[in-house]
Amino acid sequence: MSVQDSFSRIRQPLQKRVVNSLARSIGVRENFHNLLARFLELLEQALSSGDPAWLDPVLEEWSTARTQSDLEEGERNVTAMLHQIITYSFEIARENLNEAEALELVSALMPIYLHAIERVTALDSQIRVTYFTNELEKVQTRLARLDRSKSNFISIAAHELKTPLTLIEGYAAMIADLLPGSFEQIHSLLQGVFNGIRRLREIVEDMIDVSQLDNGVMRMNYQPVWLNRMLGLQKAEFQSILSERKQTLEIIPFEGYDQLLFADPARLYQAVRNLISNAVKYTPDGGIIRIHGRSLPGFIELIVQDNGIGIAPENHELIFEKFGTLGDISLHSSGKTKFKGGGPGLGLAITKGIIEAHGGSLWVESEGYDEVKRPGSTFHILLPVRTQPPDPRLARLFVAQTEPSTNQDPHQHSPAQDTHNSWSNG
Ligand code: ADP
């Protein structure tokens, strides 16, 4: 008997067994029967012509016909179905043909099946890659939309909160003004109201800053800055908090510490203040906060180091995300300087945004989180040393103040600086 005849004898039983077995697992589908009949018909053609490519159209159709839900549910793939067909065809050949005929048919089918498996495997992985790429794109779009609405929400909420806050502040100030000085108790109660208003305002300002950074609308106002002066002011600002927490803030001079550079004085101050404020918050009473740094070619590295509770390495990136606050939110004492008095988790996101807007970078080093051993955290700011502002019009404006021929001593405290602030010349 010829191979074609042998195949004709097993074709019907093969079709029946495959349908019975596979239709169950793939959910009986109308076109499965037809597709299988076509497959067997083309298999017969491939067998007579000796060209396995006859099967290609049906294999392609089969592979691309996999539905979305097949892929989502991880339904058995076409390769697995093909394996099943191969197993059944060998089984049925053994049952319906004598040994020699079965062997001859199997040997003729083998190269065709091998070609089919190769083709289907390639198609299958191609389809999977396309499917997962599409899914990933959809998730990314959804995430971007979510991030945008979060950012819009922050911006709207902050602006909405600002108006009533200003009203409360104004009325509280009017009450304080109208009260005679003898109403000491009420004055001290009002002081509590003002403290609350100030804290709330800081949060609202942080929300506005974060949404500005998110939307890329925060502009840096470059002016001459001396780090030594800025750090001196920071120390003065933190003095009472430091003595309350029995902490020490050491500022260690380093090369380039008194060098003039162009940066946004207010924003840079805000960024460094956030780091010091965190160092105070996450270091127990009696701790030491050290600020030092070094000069690198084209950059100044400013280092804010504490001997506090530290940060686990897996959170070294998370803390720079907005709302990237660690630990149990309900335990936050909401104090700005109290030990572990966590805030809304915007400070580091803003700090990083400000430093990056200057063309610099910010990162943290810490061995880990341990409230007993207190490994501490070290924040590094890498700031480009700009000897003139990026905007040429501003550069012209500052030229007289920054040229060595003016003989101006950057350490000298000029009255003009006093009117603005004593570490920026703007
Ligand atoms: P928060 O308002 O919570 O202080 P931040 O963005 O300033 O928000 O900081 C994010 C988180 O990073 C904090 O909740 C804290 O867990 C961690 N963190 C920041 N600075 C330090 C530090 N110096 N030591 C230990 N943990 C810190």
Side-chain angles (χ1 to χ4, degrees):
M1 193 165 37
S2 72
V3 176
Q4 282 80 1
D5 292 338
S6 302
F7 184 73
S8 301
R9 268 178 60 192
I10 71 157
R11 193 170 152 173
Q12 281 312 317
L14 176 61
Q15 179 155 356
K16 216 166 144 198
R17 197 166 297 177
V18 172
V19 169
N20 283 348
S21 135
L22 291 182
R24 223 179 312 135
S25 61
I26 61 170
V28 188
R29 300 219 177 100
E30 277 173 28
N31 68 347
F32 182 65
H33 213 287
N34 299 338
L35 216 52
L36 184 65
R38 245 190 96 212
F39 173 84
L40 294 175
E41 202 177 296
L42 292 173
L43 181 60
E44 201 166 355
Q45 298 278 3
L47 209 56
S48 350
S49 65
D51 180 7
W54 273 96
L55 281 179
D56 288 358
V58 73
L59 294 176
E60 267 160 43
E61 202 178 313
W62 215 336
S63 295
T64 46
R66 290 186 69 198
T67 62
Q68 173 101 341
S69 59
D70 282 346
L71 286 158
E72 278 166 3
E73 290 158 18
E75 185 66 72
R76 61 164 60 227
N77 58 30
V78 182
T79 321
M81 286 200 264
L82 201 58
H83 276 127
Q84 206 73 60
I85 294 173
I86 297 169
T87 315
Y88 286 141
S89 40
F90 295 165
E91 234 176 65
I92 292 169
R94 237 188 359 238
E95 288 165 14
N96 293 274
L97 305 169
N98 67 36
E99 209 172 306
E101 287 166 345
L103 202 65
E104 201 183 0
L105 179 63
V106 167
S107 320
L109 285 174
M110 200 63 107
I112 302 171
Y113 279 154
L114 275 177
H115 167 87
I117 286 175
E118 260 173 37
R119 187 94 194 99
V120 153
T121 313
L123 284 168
D124 214 49
S125 25
Q126 204 178 313
I127 286 166
R128 267 167 193 276
V129 169
T130 315
Y131 170 75
F132 286 117
T133 310
N134 287 343
E135 284 301 292
L136 218 64
E137 268 167 21
K138 271 192 238 161
V139 173
Q140 265 168 347
T141 316
R142 234 176 291 149
L143 277 179
R145 207 179 309 135
L146 212 66
D147 205 49
R148 249 196 328 274
S149 41
K150 196 160 80 176
S151 181
N152 287 345
F153 169 75
I154 298 171
S155 169
I156 293 166
H159 283 103
E160 288 298 319
L161 284 171
K162 220 173 163 179
T163 317
L165 194 62
T166 309
L167 277 176
I168 297 168
E169 196 172 24
Y171 281 114
M174 273 152 66
I175 295 171
D177 285 347
L178 289 174
L179 274 180
S182 52
F183 285 70
E184 259 173 46
Q185 255 185 328
I186 300 180
H187 274 291
S188 80
L189 290 178
L190 272 175
Q191 199 47 52
V193 175
F194 284 123
N195 286 343
I197 293 169
R198 203 194 56 237
R199 180 79 192 104
L200 205 57
R201 186 171 286 284
E202 281 166 358
I203 295 172
V204 171
E205 298 295 346
D206 276 0
M207 286 163 77
I208 292 172
D209 284 351
V210 132
S211 66
Q212 278 191 356
L213 283 165
D214 269 356
N215 298 317
V217 293
M218 189 185 272
R219 295 274 162 267
M220 293 299 125
N221 175 20
Y222 284 89
Q223 291 175 26
V225 169
W226 285 269
L227 288 182
N228 56 345
R229 293 184 186 176
M230 181 194 73
L231 293 174
L233 275 185
Q234 301 264 10
K235 189 163 182 164
E237 183 186 330
F238 277 94
Q239 209 48 63
S240 66
I241 293 160
L242 289 164
S243 55
E244 194 184 306
R245 296 283 317 278
K246 297 179 185 58
Q247 290 173 333
T248 315
L249 173 62
E250 286 177 5
I251 297 175
I252 302 164
F254 55 93
E255 196 200 327
Y257 163 76
D258 50 4
Q259 180 183 346
L260 176 148
L261 51 96
F262 276 86
D264 183 322
R267 289 297 182 187
L268 192 61
Y269 189 90
Q270 181 186 4
V272 176
R273 187 179 50 201
N274 279 348
L275 295 186
I276 302 175
S277 160
N278 278 347
V280 169
K281 272 197 298 186
Y282 300 104
T283 303
D285 289 3
I288 298 172
I289 298 149
R290 193 166 287 140
I291 301 183
H292 52 112
R294 58 184 174 150
S295 171
L296 297 163
F299 289 90
I300 286 273
E301 186 179 356
L302 194 65
I303 299 166
V304 180
Q305 191 174 9
D306 63 58
N307 62 349
I309 57 176
I311 303 161
E314 65 268 24
N315 293 324
H316 286 186
E317 283 185 15
L318 177 80
I319 55 167
F320 295 107
E321 285 173 20
K322 48 181 187 283
F323 307 112
T325 159
L326 309 176
D328 185 347
I329 293 169
S330 63
L331 296 179
H332 278 204
S333 70
S334 80
K336 194 136 170 79
T337 53
K338 280 185 197 155
F339 181 43
K340 293 197 285 173
L346 297 175
L348 284 181
I350 296 169
T351 305
K352 193 173 168 65
I354 292 174
I355 300 301
E356 286 178 354
H358 279 88
S361 52
L362 171 71
W363 71 97
V364 68
E365 277 174 354
S366 174
E367 276 173 31
Y369 174 86
D370 192 326
E371 290 197 20
V372 181
K373 289 193 192 139
R374 306 209 300 264
S377 307
T378 307
F379 285 82
H380 299 256
I381 293 180
L382 196 64
L383 200 65
V385 177
R386 286 200 171 86
T387 49
Q388 55 178 25
D391 182 345
R393 281 167 306 174
L394 270 182
R396 275 202 300 278
L397 199 67
F398 287 117
V399 75
Q401 292 163 341
T402 56
E403 260 174 10
S405 61
T406 58
N407 282 338
Q408 191 185 4
D409 177 8
H411 303 274
Q412 204 183 311
H413 213 72
S414 77
Q417 285 159 18
D418 274 339
T419 56
H420 182 67
N421 61 43
S422 57
W423 49 285
S424 144
N425 219 6

